[in-house]
Amino acid sequence: MRSSFFLLVLGLASLVAACRAQGNSNHLSGETSPYLKRAVSQAVDWYPWGPEAFRRASELNRPILLDVGAVWCPWCSLMDRDTFTNVDTAGYINQHFVSVKVDFDSAPELVAQLQRAQAVLNLPAGLPLTSFITPDGKLYFGAGYLRAEHKDGKPSFREAAEKALKRYTDKRGIEEESFQLEVARKP
């Protein structure tokens, strides 16, 4: 029991130290949406939808990981709990993506555009909606619920993210199979 508690405290301390060392901070603290408020304490460096996230992605030459969900969606809660609160997964996300979180209920026009885009690309378009977008706003890969671990033949979040990163390097492929989103305005 004592060793488990010690490991938990040590893990939390190292997460805090790593976030401070990397300069990571979650950008959702001023948001009013219940879904975004719930993610404020997650280790993923979430941004709200808007130009700042796209500017940052362009500066870093990283794709955007977009998570759309709702507080009433049990699969969204499960993905938040099992995937986005996992310290290793959060570190991986922060290293390779600029992460954006959108509340389904607070941004109906944006969500409708994302769902249409994913459907056009023959990608899942339900909730949670997981999208991978270029810094200039091209949706090029996506999924629905992604569990933390590979199970029952379904890919894990990490496997899908690695596939998205690989596709991101194929600029010509993105030009051929992507959907341009309107990215300049907030929902």
Side-chain angles (χ1 to χ4, degrees):
M1 176 82 163
R2 274 187 155 174
S3 63
S4 296
F5 178 74
F6 176 74
L7 289 175
L8 175 65
V9 170
L10 183 62
L12 289 173
S14 60
L15 172 63
V16 169
C19 287
R20 285 186 181 148
Q22 294 175 1
N24 288 341
S25 63
N26 189 307
H27 303 272
L28 300 179
S29 62
E31 297 298 314
T32 58
S33 142
Y35 186 65
L36 300 186
K37 283 175 143 179
R38 188 171 76 181
V40 167
S41 63
Q42 291 178 358
V44 174
D45 188 18
W46 294 112
Y47 284 82
W49 177 269
E52 182 183 356
F54 285 88
R55 253 191 317 279
R56 186 70 178 144
S58 185
E59 289 168 4
L60 297 173
N61 189 26
R62 292 182 186 169
I64 289 175
L65 160 64
L66 176 68
D67 171 64
V68 177
V71 292
W72 48 262
C73 168
W75 291 105
C76 302
S77 298
L78 187 62
M79 191 161 167
D80 268 351
R81 187 188 72 223
D82 293 345
T83 303
F84 298 133
T85 59
N86 178 296
V87 175
D88 293 332
T89 302
Y92 176 82
I93 291 169
N94 293 340
Q95 182 180 2
H96 297 286
F97 299 94
V98 171
S99 305
V100 174
K101 203 159 194 64
V102 170
D103 184 331
F104 177 88
D105 295 315
S106 297
E109 289 177 21
L110 172 61
V111 172
Q113 181 186 176
L114 289 164
Q115 289 178 318
R116 278 191 306 274
Q118 291 217 172
V120 165
L121 296 175
N122 201 27
L123 300 168
L127 283 182
L129 186 64
T130 307
S131 303
F132 295 91
I133 304 169
T134 64
D136 61 341
K138 290 183 176 79
L139 182 132
Y140 68 93
F141 186 69
Y145 169 74
L146 293 166
R147 60 183 73 224
E149 303 295 326
H150 183 100
K151 188 175 178 184
D152 299 329
K154 295 183 181 178
S156 68
F157 172 84
R158 179 78 175 252
E159 291 167 329
E162 287 172 353
K163 190 173 183 180
L165 282 173
K166 187 174 182 178
R167 285 192 182 177
Y168 180 69
T169 62
D170 180 13
K171 303 298 183 203
R172 194 171 66 155
I174 288 175
E175 288 302 318
E176 292 172 3
E177 289 190 40
S178 65
F179 189 96
Q180 181 65 51
L181 299 170
E182 190 178 324
V183 298
R185 63 188 171 100
K186 285 189 82 116

